[in-house]
mmCIF file of all heavy atoms in Angstrom:
data_model
loop_
_atom_site.group_PDB
_atom_site.id
_atom_site.type_symbol
_atom_site.label_atom_id
_atom_site.label_comp_id
_atom_site.label_asym_id
_atom_site.label_seq_id
_atom_site.Cartn_x
_atom_site.Cartn_y
_atom_site.Cartn_z
ATOM 1 N N LEU V 1 0.879 -1.130 0.016
ATOM 2 C CA LEU V 1 -0.034 -0.035 -0.012
ATOM 3 C C LEU V 1 0.931 1.252 0.066
ATOM 4 O O LEU V 1 0.565 2.237 -0.785
ATOM 5 C CB LEU V 1 -0.959 0.018 1.198
ATOM 6 C CG LEU V 1 -1.799 1.274 1.480
ATOM 7 C CD1 LEU V 1 -2.656 1.604 0.289
ATOM 8 C CD2 LEU V 1 -2.645 1.233 2.691
ATOM 9 N N LYS V 2 1.950 1.355 0.807
ATOM 10 C CA LYS V 2 2.834 2.482 0.849
ATOM 11 C C LYS V 2 3.475 2.601 -0.472
ATOM 12 O O LYS V 2 3.516 3.774 -1.086
ATOM 13 C CB LYS V 2 3.824 2.304 1.951
ATOM 14 C CG LYS V 2 4.754 3.444 1.999
ATOM 15 C CD LYS V 2 5.758 3.358 3.211
ATOM 16 C CE LYS V 2 6.660 4.612 3.353
ATOM 17 N NZ LYS V 2 7.204 5.097 2.146
ATOM 18 N N GLU V 3 4.009 1.660 -1.085
ATOM 19 C CA GLU V 3 4.591 1.826 -2.403
ATOM 20 C C GLU V 3 3.624 2.400 -3.416
ATOM 21 O O GLU V 3 3.924 3.103 -4.298
ATOM 22 C CB GLU V 3 5.111 0.426 -2.885
ATOM 23 C CG GLU V 3 6.347 0.048 -2.094
ATOM 24 C CD GLU V 3 6.909 -1.320 -2.463
ATOM 25 O OE1 GLU V 3 5.962 -2.167 -2.651
ATOM 26 O OE2 GLU V 3 8.059 -1.570 -2.589
ATOM 27 N N PHE V 4 2.495 1.826 -3.402
ATOM 28 C CA PHE V 4 1.376 2.235 -4.280
ATOM 29 C C PHE V 4 0.986 3.663 -4.014
ATOM 30 O O PHE V 4 0.973 4.415 -5.067
ATOM 31 C CB PHE V 4 0.164 1.356 -4.081
ATOM 32 C CG PHE V 4 -1.049 1.661 -4.973
ATOM 33 C CD1 PHE V 4 -1.113 1.006 -6.303
ATOM 34 C CD2 PHE V 4 -2.016 2.379 -4.626
ATOM 35 C CE1 PHE V 4 -2.105 1.189 -7.067
ATOM 36 C CE2 PHE V 4 -3.243 2.584 -5.513
ATOM 37 C CZ PHE V 4 -3.153 1.956 -6.793
ATOM 38 N N LEU V 5 0.820 4.061 -2.800
ATOM 39 C CA LEU V 5 0.460 5.475 -2.660
ATOM 40 C C LEU V 5 1.630 6.501 -2.999
ATOM 41 O O LEU V 5 1.364 7.512 -3.588
ATOM 42 C CB LEU V 5 0.183 5.788 -1.183
ATOM 43 C CG LEU V 5 -1.046 5.047 -0.651
ATOM 44 C CD1 LEU V 5 -1.385 5.152 0.876
ATOM 45 C CD2 LEU V 5 -2.358 5.580 -1.371
ATOM 46 N N ASP V 6 2.857 6.045 -2.663
ATOM 47 C CA ASP V 6 3.968 6.878 -3.017
ATOM 48 C C ASP V 6 4.171 6.904 -4.546
ATOM 49 O O ASP V 6 4.360 8.038 -5.165
ATOM 50 C CB ASP V 6 5.307 6.283 -2.632
ATOM 51 C CG ASP V 6 5.544 6.388 -1.057
ATOM 52 O OD1 ASP V 6 4.710 7.156 -0.397
ATOM 53 O OD2 ASP V 6 6.318 5.623 -0.521
ATOM 54 N N TYR V 7 3.763 5.896 -5.309
ATOM 55 C CA TYR V 7 3.851 5.835 -6.802
ATOM 56 C C TYR V 7 2.776 6.856 -7.319
ATOM 57 O O TYR V 7 3.023 7.589 -8.252
ATOM 58 C CB TYR V 7 3.734 4.537 -7.257
ATOM 59 C CG TYR V 7 3.444 4.421 -8.814
ATOM 60 C CD1 TYR V 7 4.603 4.610 -9.718
ATOM 61 C CD2 TYR V 7 2.332 4.066 -9.410
ATOM 62 C CE1 TYR V 7 4.389 4.647 -11.081
ATOM 63 C CE2 TYR V 7 2.133 4.027 -10.710
ATOM 64 C CZ TYR V 7 3.104 4.249 -11.522
ATOM 65 O OH TYR V 7 3.031 4.197 -12.958
ATOM 66 N N TYR V 8 1.628 6.653 -6.801
ATOM 67 C CA TYR V 8 0.434 7.468 -7.362
ATOM 68 C C TYR V 8 0.553 9.078 -6.939
ATOM 69 O O TYR V 8 0.148 9.887 -7.631
ATOM 70 C CB TYR V 8 -0.897 6.964 -6.817
ATOM 71 C CG TYR V 8 -1.556 6.171 -7.861
ATOM 72 C CD1 TYR V 8 -1.013 4.763 -8.083
ATOM 73 C CD2 TYR V 8 -2.556 6.528 -8.726
ATOM 74 C CE1 TYR V 8 -1.546 3.932 -9.086
ATOM 75 C CE2 TYR V 8 -3.022 5.706 -9.635
ATOM 76 C CZ TYR V 8 -2.592 4.389 -9.830
ATOM 77 O OH TYR V 8 -3.067 3.590 -10.895
ATOM 78 N N GLU V 9 1.148 9.290 -5.874
ATOM 79 C CA GLU V 9 1.459 10.675 -5.472
ATOM 80 C C GLU V 9 2.457 11.367 -6.496
ATOM 81 O O GLU V 9 2.233 12.370 -6.878
ATOM 82 C CB GLU V 9 2.136 10.706 -4.098
ATOM 83 C CG GLU V 9 2.369 12.175 -3.679
ATOM 84 C CD GLU V 9 2.796 12.331 -2.237
ATOM 85 O OE1 GLU V 9 2.705 11.253 -1.457
ATOM 86 O OE2 GLU V 9 3.139 13.382 -1.816
ATOM 87 N N LYS V 10 3.355 10.460 -6.883
ATOM 88 C CA LYS V 10 4.356 10.942 -7.925
ATOM 89 C C LYS V 10 3.690 11.232 -9.304
ATOM 90 O O LYS V 10 3.747 12.112 -9.946
ATOM 91 C CB LYS V 10 5.486 10.014 -8.105
ATOM 92 C CG LYS V 10 6.421 10.404 -9.234
ATOM 93 C CD LYS V 10 7.510 9.269 -9.350
ATOM 94 C CE LYS V 10 8.406 9.591 -10.671
ATOM 95 N NZ LYS V 10 9.488 8.495 -10.826
ATOM 96 N N VAL V 11 2.917 10.263 -9.765
ATOM 97 C CA VAL V 11 2.342 10.272 -11.046
ATOM 98 C C VAL V 11 1.195 11.124 -11.261
ATOM 99 O O VAL V 11 0.604 11.299 -12.296
ATOM 100 C CB VAL V 11 2.022 8.817 -11.707
ATOM 101 C CG1 VAL V 11 3.182 8.020 -11.770
ATOM 102 C CG2 VAL V 11 0.956 8.026 -10.827
ATOM 103 N N THR V 12 0.628 11.663 -10.163
ATOM 104 C CA THR V 12 -0.469 12.591 -10.081
ATOM 105 C C THR V 12 0.045 14.067 -9.622
ATOM 106 O O THR V 12 -0.756 14.908 -9.366
ATOM 107 C CB THR V 12 -1.646 12.183 -9.370
ATOM 108 O OG1 THR V 12 -1.162 11.942 -7.962
ATOM 109 C CG2 THR V 12 -2.180 10.919 -9.774
ATOM 110 N N SER V 13 1.421 14.158 -9.523
ATOM 111 C CA SER V 13 1.860 15.345 -9.095
ATOM 112 C C SER V 13 1.670 16.644 -10.139
ATOM 113 O O SER V 13 1.728 17.755 -9.688
ATOM 114 C CB SER V 13 3.440 15.275 -8.792
ATOM 115 O OG SER V 13 4.066 14.891 -9.941
ATOM 116 N N ASN V 14 1.581 16.227 -11.400
ATOM 117 C CA ASN V 14 1.342 17.298 -12.406
ATOM 118 C C ASN V 14 0.852 16.579 -13.718
ATOM 119 O O ASN V 14 0.760 15.418 -13.758
ATOM 120 C CB ASN V 14 2.605 18.168 -12.695
ATOM 121 C CG ASN V 14 3.653 17.160 -13.121
ATOM 122 O OD1 ASN V 14 3.619 16.510 -14.039
ATOM 123 N ND2 ASN V 14 4.818 17.360 -12.325
ATOM 124 N N ASP V 15 0.227 17.408 -14.637
ATOM 125 C CA ASP V 15 -0.213 16.893 -15.729
ATOM 126 C C ASP V 15 0.739 16.014 -16.719
ATOM 127 O O ASP V 15 0.391 15.078 -17.274
ATOM 128 C CB ASP V 15 -0.942 17.861 -16.717
ATOM 129 C CG ASP V 15 -2.284 18.368 -16.201
ATOM 130 O OD1 ASP V 15 -2.899 17.733 -15.356
ATOM 131 O OD2 ASP V 15 -2.744 19.389 -16.801
ATOM 132 N N PHE V 16 1.976 16.472 -16.716
ATOM 133 C CA PHE V 16 3.041 15.716 -17.445
ATOM 134 C C PHE V 16 3.198 14.363 -16.924
ATOM 135 O O PHE V 16 3.135 13.347 -17.767
ATOM 136 C CB PHE V 16 4.355 16.505 -17.423
ATOM 137 C CG PHE V 16 5.512 15.712 -18.095
ATOM 138 C CD1 PHE V 16 5.658 15.818 -19.511
ATOM 139 C CD2 PHE V 16 6.199 14.843 -17.305
ATOM 140 C CE1 PHE V 16 6.560 15.076 -19.964
ATOM 141 C CE2 PHE V 16 7.254 14.165 -17.881
ATOM 142 C CZ PHE V 16 7.470 14.269 -19.237
ATOM 143 N N GLN V 17 3.098 14.175 -15.601
ATOM 144 C CA GLN V 17 3.254 12.694 -14.976
ATOM 145 C C GLN V 17 2.008 12.040 -15.342
ATOM 146 O O GLN V 17 2.046 10.867 -15.595
ATOM 147 C CB GLN V 17 3.481 12.956 -13.416
ATOM 148 C CG GLN V 17 4.914 13.338 -13.087
ATOM 149 C CD GLN V 17 5.963 12.409 -13.234
ATOM 150 O OE1 GLN V 17 5.630 11.179 -13.463
ATOM 151 N NE2 GLN V 17 7.222 12.873 -13.251
ATOM 152 N N PHE V 18 0.876 12.597 -15.288
ATOM 153 C CA PHE V 18 -0.396 11.910 -15.520
ATOM 154 C C PHE V 18 -0.341 11.369 -17.016
ATOM 155 O O PHE V 18 -0.699 10.209 -17.164
ATOM 156 C CB PHE V 18 -1.546 12.850 -15.293
ATOM 157 C CG PHE V 18 -2.845 12.207 -15.764
ATOM 158 C CD1 PHE V 18 -3.640 11.397 -14.971
ATOM 159 C CD2 PHE V 18 -3.280 12.515 -17.014
ATOM 160 C CE1 PHE V 18 -4.779 10.890 -15.423
ATOM 161 C CE2 PHE V 18 -4.582 12.003 -17.448
ATOM 162 C CZ PHE V 18 -5.311 11.114 -16.644
ATOM 163 N N TYR V 19 -0.132 12.294 -17.908
ATOM 164 C CA TYR V 19 -0.025 11.940 -19.343
ATOM 165 C C TYR V 19 0.887 10.829 -19.658
ATOM 166 O O TYR V 19 0.683 9.917 -20.444
ATOM 167 C CB TYR V 19 0.068 13.106 -20.301
ATOM 168 C CG TYR V 19 -1.193 13.884 -20.352
ATOM 169 C CD1 TYR V 19 -1.192 15.265 -19.761
ATOM 170 C CD2 TYR V 19 -2.406 13.416 -20.872
ATOM 171 C CE1 TYR V 19 -2.388 15.983 -19.762
ATOM 172 C CE2 TYR V 19 -3.572 14.216 -20.857
ATOM 173 C CZ TYR V 19 -3.452 15.483 -20.474
ATOM 174 O OH TYR V 19 -4.713 16.195 -20.417
ATOM 175 N N ALA V 20 2.146 10.855 -18.986
ATOM 176 C CA ALA V 20 3.217 9.918 -19.248
ATOM 177 C C ALA V 20 2.873 8.549 -18.649
ATOM 178 O O ALA V 20 3.307 7.577 -19.220
ATOM 179 C CB ALA V 20 4.534 10.490 -18.751
ATOM 180 N N ASN V 21 2.273 8.535 -17.367
ATOM 181 C CA ASN V 21 2.099 7.352 -16.720
ATOM 182 C C ASN V 21 0.636 6.706 -16.523
ATOM 183 O O ASN V 21 0.659 5.556 -16.391
ATOM 184 C CB ASN V 21 2.726 7.568 -15.313
ATOM 185 C CG ASN V 21 4.173 7.853 -15.331
ATOM 186 O OD1 ASN V 21 4.998 7.006 -15.440
ATOM 187 N ND2 ASN V 21 4.623 9.142 -15.164
ATOM 188 N N LEU V 22 -0.277 7.553 -16.518
ATOM 189 C CA LEU V 22 -1.670 6.974 -16.330
ATOM 190 C C LEU V 22 -2.505 7.047 -17.576
ATOM 191 O O LEU V 22 -3.463 6.132 -17.736
ATOM 192 C CB LEU V 22 -2.217 7.778 -15.159
ATOM 193 C CG LEU V 22 -1.602 7.628 -13.814
ATOM 194 C CD1 LEU V 22 -2.233 8.500 -12.789
ATOM 195 C CD2 LEU V 22 -1.560 6.257 -13.377
ATOM 196 N N LYS V 23 -2.397 7.968 -18.388
ATOM 197 C CA LYS V 23 -3.337 8.136 -19.452
ATOM 198 C C LYS V 23 -3.119 6.818 -20.424
ATOM 199 O O LYS V 23 -4.061 6.395 -21.060
ATOM 200 C CB LYS V 23 -3.039 9.367 -20.375
ATOM 201 C CG LYS V 23 -3.969 9.492 -21.541
ATOM 202 C CD LYS V 23 -3.839 10.811 -22.182
ATOM 203 C CE LYS V 23 -4.916 11.059 -23.409
ATOM 204 N NZ LYS V 23 -4.659 10.112 -24.382
ATOM 205 N N PRO V 24 -1.837 6.276 -20.618
ATOM 206 C CA PRO V 24 -1.790 5.067 -21.365
ATOM 207 C C PRO V 24 -2.687 3.991 -20.967
ATOM 208 O O PRO V 24 -3.045 3.131 -21.771
ATOM 209 C CB PRO V 24 -0.287 4.677 -21.297
ATOM 210 C CG PRO V 24 0.367 6.059 -21.084
ATOM 211 C CD PRO V 24 -0.530 6.824 -20.188
ATOM 212 N N PHE V 25 -2.948 3.832 -19.701
ATOM 213 C CA PHE V 25 -3.908 2.839 -19.041
ATOM 214 C C PHE V 25 -5.207 3.012 -19.747
ATOM 215 O O PHE V 25 -5.852 2.092 -20.139
ATOM 216 C CB PHE V 25 -3.923 3.023 -17.534
ATOM 217 C CG PHE V 25 -4.853 1.981 -16.988
ATOM 218 C CD1 PHE V 25 -4.405 0.767 -16.743
ATOM 219 C CD2 PHE V 25 -6.197 2.296 -16.683
ATOM 220 C CE1 PHE V 25 -5.376 -0.211 -15.993
ATOM 221 C CE2 PHE V 25 -7.126 1.398 -15.976
ATOM 222 C CZ PHE V 25 -6.661 0.170 -15.763
ATOM 223 N N LEU V 26 -5.755 4.244 -19.751
ATOM 224 C CA LEU V 26 -6.897 4.548 -20.455
ATOM 225 C C LEU V 26 -7.041 4.235 -21.985
ATOM 226 O O LEU V 26 -7.843 3.772 -22.603
ATOM 227 C CB LEU V 26 -7.460 5.950 -20.119
ATOM 228 C CG LEU V 26 -8.937 6.203 -20.698
ATOM 229 C CD1 LEU V 26 -9.921 5.481 -19.800
ATOM 230 C CD2 LEU V 26 -9.149 7.802 -20.541
ATOM 231 N N ASP V 27 -5.845 4.642 -22.571
ATOM 232 C CA ASP V 27 -5.760 4.480 -24.014
ATOM 233 C C ASP V 27 -5.886 2.887 -24.398
ATOM 234 O O ASP V 27 -6.305 2.635 -25.541
ATOM 235 C CB ASP V 27 -4.477 5.008 -24.574
ATOM 236 C CG ASP V 27 -4.281 6.542 -24.433
ATOM 237 O OD1 ASP V 27 -5.388 7.183 -24.371
ATOM 238 O OD2 ASP V 27 -3.306 7.166 -24.380
ATOM 239 N N GLU V 28 -5.341 2.084 -23.560
ATOM 240 C CA GLU V 28 -5.368 0.648 -23.730
ATOM 241 C C GLU V 28 -6.633 0.159 -23.405
ATOM 242 O O GLU V 28 -7.213 -0.830 -23.994
ATOM 243 C CB GLU V 28 -4.197 -0.073 -23.038
ATOM 244 C CG GLU V 28 -2.801 0.466 -23.460
ATOM 245 C CD GLU V 28 -2.332 -0.180 -24.648
ATOM 246 O OE1 GLU V 28 -3.092 -1.043 -25.222
ATOM 247 O OE2 GLU V 28 -1.226 0.175 -25.162
ATOM 248 N N LEU V 29 -7.300 0.654 -22.222
ATOM 249 C CA LEU V 29 -8.511 0.031 -21.810
ATOM 250 C C LEU V 29 -9.692 0.406 -22.591
ATOM 251 O O LEU V 29 -10.537 -0.551 -22.810
ATOM 252 C CB LEU V 29 -8.678 0.566 -20.302
ATOM 253 C CG LEU V 29 -9.857 0.084 -19.613
ATOM 254 C CD1 LEU V 29 -9.769 -1.393 -19.385
ATOM 255 C CD2 LEU V 29 -10.112 0.799 -18.170
ATOM 256 N N PHE V 30 -9.864 1.590 -23.096
ATOM 257 C CA PHE V 30 -11.030 2.008 -23.641
ATOM 258 C C PHE V 30 -11.320 1.133 -24.992
ATOM 259 O O PHE V 30 -12.537 0.664 -25.110
ATOM 260 C CB PHE V 30 -11.128 3.492 -24.151
ATOM 261 C CG PHE V 30 -12.440 3.971 -24.662
ATOM 262 C CD1 PHE V 30 -13.211 4.551 -23.695
ATOM 263 C CD2 PHE V 30 -12.594 3.948 -25.940
ATOM 264 C CE1 PHE V 30 -14.472 5.090 -24.174
ATOM 265 C CE2 PHE V 30 -13.875 4.420 -26.396
ATOM 266 C CZ PHE V 30 -14.815 5.005 -25.568
ATOM 267 N N PRO V 31 -10.452 0.903 -25.867
ATOM 268 C CA PRO V 31 -10.762 0.105 -27.023
ATOM 269 C C PRO V 31 -11.201 -1.312 -26.690
ATOM 270 O O PRO V 31 -11.995 -1.909 -27.388
ATOM 271 C CB PRO V 31 -9.494 0.037 -27.820
ATOM 272 C CG PRO V 31 -8.722 1.308 -27.355
ATOM 273 C CD PRO V 31 -9.053 1.458 -25.911
ATOM 274 N N ALA V 32 -10.653 -1.833 -25.546
ATOM 275 C CA ALA V 32 -10.986 -3.164 -25.180
ATOM 276 C C ALA V 32 -12.559 -3.212 -24.701
ATOM 277 O O ALA V 32 -13.094 -4.427 -25.026
ATOM 278 C CB ALA V 32 -10.085 -3.559 -24.101
ATOM 279 N N ILE V 33 -13.024 -2.250 -24.227
ATOM 280 C CA ILE V 33 -14.359 -2.392 -23.548
ATOM 281 C C ILE V 33 -15.361 -1.664 -24.558
ATOM 282 O O ILE V 33 -16.691 -1.736 -24.274
ATOM 283 C CB ILE V 33 -14.610 -1.841 -22.136
ATOM 284 C CG1 ILE V 33 -14.182 -0.326 -22.016
ATOM 285 C CG2 ILE V 33 -13.599 -2.689 -21.195
ATOM 286 C CD1 ILE V 33 -14.320 0.272 -20.680
ATOM 287 N N ASP V 34 -14.812 -0.892 -25.570
ATOM 288 C CA ASP V 34 -15.656 -0.357 -26.679
ATOM 289 C C ASP V 34 -16.028 -1.543 -27.547
ATOM 290 O O ASP V 34 -15.280 -1.515 -28.732
ATOM 291 C CB ASP V 34 -15.047 0.873 -27.288
ATOM 292 C CG ASP V 34 -15.740 1.376 -28.446
ATOM 293 O OD1 ASP V 34 -17.036 1.039 -28.526
ATOM 294 O OD2 ASP V 34 -15.140 2.171 -29.286
ATOM 295 N N GLN V 35 -16.843 -2.315 -27.392
ATOM 296 C CA GLN V 35 -17.206 -3.546 -28.031
ATOM 297 C C GLN V 35 -17.550 -3.326 -29.544
ATOM 298 O O GLN V 35 -17.353 -4.189 -30.401
ATOM 299 C CB GLN V 35 -18.158 -4.435 -27.362
ATOM 300 C CG GLN V 35 -17.681 -4.842 -25.962
ATOM 301 C CD GLN V 35 -18.525 -5.919 -25.287
ATOM 302 O OE1 GLN V 35 -18.401 -7.082 -25.542
ATOM 303 N NE2 GLN V 35 -19.540 -5.364 -24.473
#
């Protein structure tokens, strides 16, 4: 849990981190559930 929170604090610290680390999750996920 601590490692997870530390990681998410880093990747949500600014928009650059979000787009580099989290947006790819959505980019991969959306097409899979857009049947």
Side-chain angles (χ1 to χ4, degrees):
L1 174 60
K2 182 182 185 306
E3 288 174 321
F4 185 80
L5 294 176
D6 288 345
Y7 172 72
Y8 264 77
E9 183 173 348
K10 175 185 176 182
V11 298
T12 59
S13 59
N14 54 57
D15 278 353
F16 175 81
Q17 288 286 346
F18 171 84
Y19 285 112
N21 295 283
L22 295 177
K23 187 176 181 292
F25 179 85
L26 186 68
D27 293 338
E28 298 282 357
L29 180 63
F30 189 89
I33 62 178
D34 175 17
Q35 299 189 86

